[in-house]
Amino acid sequence: MPIFSAENCIPAEMLLMWLYWPNGPVQKKSGYIGVLATDAAGEHFRTVLQTENVDISRLRRGVGRTACNYITLDDQGDRAFSGNNGQETVQNLYRPIITSADRMYAATFDVVHSSIHSGLDDALPALSHCADLSMDFSSDGFTHDNVARLAPLLRFCVFFSAGERSEEQAMEFASFAAECGVPEVIFTMGLRGACGISHGKKWHVPATPVD
């Protein structure tokens, strides 16, 4: 089953939900539920989704500007988030209400993937009954309390960004998430690679340099 990133470089959407089509005789497909602005960045993102054959039939549009994260690169080429363009964005002004039609749509997929920053916490319990749920907690969105609270809903996997945490610290938190019942725990660590726990087995893979 494919796993797609919840991150968008441009325009760094704050509200997003990926849905993955069940295995079948046709090519696997993905869908998107969220809010896009009508500015150039939002229109670009909509066009990219269509180009990648992502179903956007449940997409919402709002007049205004797109929420963006600012990203800086260090001397090694590793990224860091350095702020955003504020609260007066479509994603903050027009937070979507997940309707019964959205839930019926989600139930036709294998996996629903969302983000801790999507503002959809109230909808997660219902969505977890539609398909297996996974969550991106980023580097600043996870605590022991919220992972323990959401873990019973997360039957697919969780993603974390280690940030400045050491691999030992990342694995310690990964062990906590696994003990809470999450089957797949993934920590990305930039140039240091990634580590995690898959069904009780700890692992680490190095980053692969590219030109």
Side-chain angles (χ1 to χ4, degrees):
M1 180 179 297
I3 299 176
F4 297 90
S5 172
E7 298 175 85
N8 309 297
C9 296
I10 305 171
E13 288 299 316
M14 302 299 291
L15 291 163
L16 111 117
M17 186 191 315
W18 288 101
L19 306 107
Y20 307 105
W21 205 268
N23 295 333
V26 297
Q27 183 180 4
K28 295 181 180 71
K29 295 183 179 180
S30 59
Y32 178 92
I33 296 176
V35 179
L36 292 183
T38 53
D39 61 0
E43 182 59 27
H44 171 73
F45 191 53
R46 186 182 70 85
T47 300
V48 170
L49 290 175
Q50 290 179 314
T51 301
E52 295 298 325
N53 295 316
V54 176
D55 182 12
I56 57 172
S57 59
R58 304 301 301 173
L59 178 69
R60 281 77 154 164
R61 302 295 302 277
V63 177
R65 65 176 180 171
T66 295
C68 295
N69 288 327
Y70 302 137
I71 297 173
T72 59
L73 299 178
D74 63 21
D75 293 338
Q76 288 73 44
D78 209 359
R79 70 175 187 176
F81 292 97
S82 58
N84 56 59
N85 62 341
Q87 298 295 310
E88 294 298 311
T89 64
V90 161
Q91 284 72 28
N92 284 305
L93 296 174
Y94 303 99
R95 291 185 178 271
I97 297 173
I98 302 302
T99 67
S100 58
D102 292 323
R103 292 192 294 272
M104 291 175 62
Y105 177 71
T108 66
F109 292 82
D110 286 336
V111 178
V112 173
H113 179 76
S114 190
S115 163
I116 195 65
H117 297 303
S118 293
L120 296 173
D121 284 13
D122 292 343
L124 294 180
L127 287 169
S128 71
H129 293 293
C130 300
D132 287 349
L133 186 64
S134 75
M135 176 71 67
D136 186 347
F137 284 88
S138 190
S139 62
D140 60 350
F142 61 91
T143 65
H144 287 82
D145 287 343
N146 69 354
V147 170
R149 174 173 55 84
L150 293 173
L153 306 177
L154 304 174
R155 298 194 303 272
F156 189 64
C157 66
V158 293
F159 298 87
F160 303 98
S161 177
E164 298 299 320
R165 298 170 182 84
S166 67
E167 182 177 341
E168 181 180 0
Q169 290 172 319
M171 287 302 299
E172 181 180 354
F173 198 91
S175 296
F176 170 77
E179 290 169 1
C180 289
V182 181
E184 299 277 356
V185 183
I186 300 170
F187 258 97
T188 59
M189 301 186 295
L191 294 176
R192 296 176 291 159
C195 64
I197 301 177
S198 297
H199 297 278
K201 295 183 178 180
K202 296 181 179 181
W203 54 267
H204 172 267
V205 292
T208 301
V210 296
D211 295 330

